[in-house]
């Protein structure tokens, strides 16, 4: 590959990032920018390697692998979002939230309750679902834009932190576990430092939150069919974990089967024609703008992997200690998707102790919280909360970097003490 083409492709990725950062300035939707530049970058790869059959085959194979990974993610998100759209429409999520909420509560107390809820819920559900549920609660409170952004910032960090200690909560945690780098019980060591970091962030963000919030406690009517679909959702989550650990079944397959089960439950236990919205219609109300943004970003990341830019990141381990390199990998995950970043590290044959792998697990799982574009939770929150932009989230960068550093140091220290 020519140096000129490589520079051009890297420049396209940088322009895409700037398009996301400056969305409010240029008034061009970030999904449109990333999708165009992502597809255009692969177009250039094909065109400038067409004169070599061997290189064309390599590019074609790389693109097929990239699309397969994206398709798997897309279908998983479609299934998960369809479940959430239905349960949210029927008031099931609101019922669960209000079950634990008082009618009157101080904003500061509500902030801590939100942090605890996000941390626990994201350990069991995927980050997309946990963020959607949490943001729904925040938006229902009718807080000022500034306070809403503060709550949303906490949600992003808490959701990402909750998933690092369980293989059900984060894809990168599952990847590192399945590669045999850490043991499932040792992963639980990360829960204490991760939770402590979330509580410290809640404390720092609670300054000035002195008002009392009136929560309109409502109990929506729940029909038997709604309970059955909620049960199907819970069973889908549990069976996804079990099937993947026991049989290596991809999560997307289990979630698609769960979504199909939801459709059949609605058809045979309820009359679709009496529904205000047919069960299949819930696919159309999910956030396709978010999905298109994912598509563009992952195409760009796949392109960077194809031209071996990501491979150069691994060389950091040759020039600095693993603990420092792992910390920087977490920072990088706020810009580069943590899944291909983790995959590159696992494929590089890096030799580390289990304590060091646990440090990396925390770093790539939580480091994406430093920027709003660095994690699925941040992207979903940004698409739902009007006042949450790259700039408004970046105002809390120093605070987020501080608690990330504290959490990482505590994770490494605790793992070193207990595992040696």
């Amino acid at each position: 590959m020519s140096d000129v083409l490589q520079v051009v492709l890297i420049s396209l990725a940088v322009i895409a990032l700037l398009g996301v950062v400056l969305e409010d300035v240029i008034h061009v939707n970030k999904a449109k920018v990333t999708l165009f530049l992502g597809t255009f970058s692969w177009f250039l790869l094909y065109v400038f390697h067409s004169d070599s059959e061997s290189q064309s085959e390599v590019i074609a194979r790389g693109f097929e692998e990239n699309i397969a990974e994206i398709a798997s993610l897309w279908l998983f998100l479609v299934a998960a979002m369809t479940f959430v759209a239905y349960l949210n429409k029927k008031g099931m999520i609101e019922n669960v939230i209000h079950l634990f909420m008082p009618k009157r509560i101080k904003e500061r107390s509500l902030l801590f309750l939100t942090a605890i809820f996000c941390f626990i819920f994201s350990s069991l559900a995927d980050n997309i679902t946990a963020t959607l549920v949490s943001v729904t609660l925040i938006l229902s409170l009718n807080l000022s834009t500034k306070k809403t952004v503060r709550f949303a910032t906490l949600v992003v960090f808490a959701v990402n932190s909750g998933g690092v200690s369980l293989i059900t909560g984060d894809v990168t945690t599952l990847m590192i576990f399945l590669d045999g780098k850490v043991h499932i019980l040792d992963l639980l060591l990360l829960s204490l430092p991760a939770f402590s970091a979330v509580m410290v962030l809640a404390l720092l963000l609670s300054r000035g939150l002195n008002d009392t919030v009136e929560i309109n406690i409502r109990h929506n009517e729940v029909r038997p069919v709604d309970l059955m679909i909620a049960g199907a959702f819970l069973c889908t989550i549990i069976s996804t974990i079990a099937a993947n650990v026991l049989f290596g079944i991809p999560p997307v397959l289990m979630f698609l089967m769960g979504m199909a089960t939801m459709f059949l439950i609605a058809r045979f236990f309820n009359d679709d024609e009496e529904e205000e919205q047919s069960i299949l219609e819930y696919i159309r109300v999910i956030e396709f703008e978010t999905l298109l943004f994912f598509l563009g970003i992952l195409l760009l990341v796949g392109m960077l992997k194809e031209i071996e830019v990501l491979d150069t990141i691994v060389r950091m381990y040759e020039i600095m200690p693993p603990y420092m390199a792992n910390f920087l990998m977490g920072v990088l995950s706020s810009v580069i998707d943590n899944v291909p970043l983790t995959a590159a590290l696992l494929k590089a044959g890096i030799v580390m102790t289990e304590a060091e792998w646990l440090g990396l697990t925390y770093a790539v799982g939580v480091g994406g919280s430093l920027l709003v574009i660095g994690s699925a939770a941040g992207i979903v929150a940004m698409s739902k909360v009007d006042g949450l932009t790259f700039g408004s989230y970046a105002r809390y960068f120093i605070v987020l970097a501080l608690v990330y550093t504290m959490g990482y140091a505590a994770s490494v220290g605790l793992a070193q003490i207990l595992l040696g």
Side-chain angles (χ1 to χ4, degrees), residues 102-118:
K103 292 183 178 180
R104 291 172 57 88
I105 186 172
K106 290 287 187 181
E107 289 175 338
R108 178 172 298 180
S109 300
L110 180 61
L111 189 72
F112 280 94
L113 280 178
T114 302
I116 295 171
F117 171 78
C118 291

Side-chain angles (χ1 to χ4, degrees), residues 71-252:
S72 180
L73 175 63
W74 252 58
L75 293 172
F76 177 86
L77 294 178
V78 165
M81 288 179 167
T82 302
F83 264 118
V84 173
Y86 179 90
L87 296 176
N88 188 47
K89 176 71 175 180
K90 300 303 178 183
M92 295 288 290
I93 295 176
E94 189 177 19
N95 283 352
V96 172
I97 293 173
H98 289 164
L99 193 63
F100 301 97
M101 288 292 178
K103 292 183 178 180
R104 291 172 57 88
I105 186 172
K106 290 287 187 181
E107 289 175 338
R108 178 172 298 180
S109 300
L110 180 61
L111 189 72
F112 280 94
L113 280 178
T114 302
I116 295 171
F117 171 78
C118 291
F119 185 87
I120 296 175
F121 190 53
S122 65
S123 299
L124 303 175
D126 63 280
N127 288 357
I128 299 291
T129 303
T131 306
L132 286 172
V133 171
S134 304
V135 168
T136 299
L137 167 64
I138 294 171
L139 294 179
S140 68
L141 301 175
N142 296 320
L143 299 172
S144 66
T145 300
K146 186 176 180 180
K147 290 180 179 179
T148 300
V149 170
R150 196 181 300 188
F151 269 81
T153 302
L154 177 65
V155 166
V156 173
F157 189 87
V159 164
N160 287 327
S161 298
V164 297
S165 60
L166 289 173
I167 60 174
T168 59
D170 192 272
V171 176
T172 52
T173 300
L174 179 61
M175 291 169 62
I176 295 172
F177 165 73
L178 293 177
D179 206 65
K181 305 300 184 184
V182 295
H183 296 93
I184 193 166
L185 292 179
D186 293 336
L187 278 171
L188 296 176
L189 295 176
L190 297 177
S191 59
L192 180 59
F195 182 73
S196 299
V198 171
M199 289 296 98
V200 172
L201 179 61
L203 181 64
L204 294 174
L205 293 179
S206 65
R207 295 181 58 186
L209 297 179
N210 301 316
D211 295 338
T212 300
V213 178
E214 297 280 350
I215 301 179
N216 182 21
I217 303 295
R218 295 188 304 172
H219 295 286
N220 301 287
E221 180 185 356
V222 178
R223 303 169 304 164
V225 65
D226 300 330
L227 287 174
M228 292 192 68
I229 290 177
F233 184 40
L234 181 61
C235 289
T236 297
I237 295 173
I238 296 172
S239 62
T240 297
I241 300 165
N244 188 271
V245 172
L246 296 176
F247 308 111
I249 299 175
V252 62

